[in-house]
Amino acid sequence: MTDAPFLLLIGAGGNSPEYREFGLSRIAAAHRVVLVDAEVPAWTRPYLTPAHPHVAADLTDTASVAAAVKEFAASHPVSGVMTYMEHHVLAAAEVAQQLGLPTSTPEAIAAARDKALTRRLLDEHQVPSARARQAVTAEQAVALAGEIGYPVVVKPRSEAGSAGVIRATTAAEVEVAYQRAATESVLGA
């Protein structure tokens, strides 16, 4: 595998290996992995390519990620760009597309991450799905829940991992759920 191209992993997930280490170990068993991240968490080191373990990039800035990856790819063979971190899937798709590597389009990724846009596209293409409405205030959420009928599920527009998803059976519960959905973050920020 020493002559194989590199697989670039965007984001390792910080210092929390509990839900990520097994996946990274399986990826590393088949690929030469280079981590694209601001720093290298200690738990990832056994799974990264020793000669090129890391490409430094600010993951909050897609342009920074793209520039760092392009610089690396200019002198190293790269077979793919991936992530297992929800917040980096769009950046991974954009970078892979820029490098001419297989990927879903960034537009498709963005649509899949945006619950309101997903619902609109499902409706436009007559794909059956649960009834859903987008609310921009707690009051509107309560009114829409009344139209849909209880119980309802309140969820943020673009979080993952069920962050901020709450079942509500009353108007008061919808108000509380809306406030939580409006402030919930997978990354805890």
Side-chain angles (χ1 to χ4, degrees):
M1 190 163 65
T2 58
D3 293 335
F6 295 99
L7 176 64
L8 302 180
L9 173 64
I10 309 245
N15 294 317
S16 301
E18 295 83 18
Y19 302 106
R20 300 172 181 100
E21 187 169 19
F22 178 77
L24 181 54
S25 73
R26 304 312 316 140
I27 294 164
H31 302 281
R32 293 196 316 159
V33 179
V34 174
L35 176 61
V36 180
D37 208 332
E39 52 190 53
V40 181
W43 69 269
T44 65
R45 292 189 186 282
Y47 310 110
L48 303 177
T49 305
H52 302 287
H54 179 239
V55 171
D58 175 2
L59 298 185
T60 64
D61 179 7
T62 302
S64 167
V65 172
V69 166
K70 285 180 186 177
E71 183 178 335
F72 180 84
S75 57
H76 301 87
V78 175
S79 62
V81 177
M82 66 157 292
T83 188
Y84 48 70
M85 301 293 298
E86 173 69 22
H87 283 75
H88 307 310
V89 293
L90 186 55
E94 289 174 355
V95 170
Q97 187 176 57
Q98 290 173 17
L99 294 176
L101 296 169
T103 186
S104 295
T105 65
E107 295 79 18
I109 297 293
R113 291 198 69 231
D114 182 328
K115 292 171 183 70
L117 179 55
T118 298
R119 294 288 182 192
R120 192 191 66 177
L121 291 170
L122 290 171
D123 288 347
E124 283 178 14
H125 296 280
Q126 300 175 346
V127 176
S129 65
R131 291 176 294 158
R133 303 292 184 272
Q134 181 180 355
V136 295
T137 66
E139 294 77 20
Q140 186 181 23
V142 169
L144 291 171
E147 290 175 20
I148 292 171
Y150 291 97
V152 296
V153 175
V154 179
K155 49 174 72 177
R157 184 172 177 168
S158 66
E159 289 299 334
S162 297
V165 176
I166 300 173
R167 181 178 187 267
T169 59
T170 67
E173 289 178 0
V174 168
E175 285 185 41
V176 170
Y178 180 88
Q179 295 307 324
R180 180 170 172 196
T183 59
E184 192 73 25
S185 170
V186 171
L187 295 177

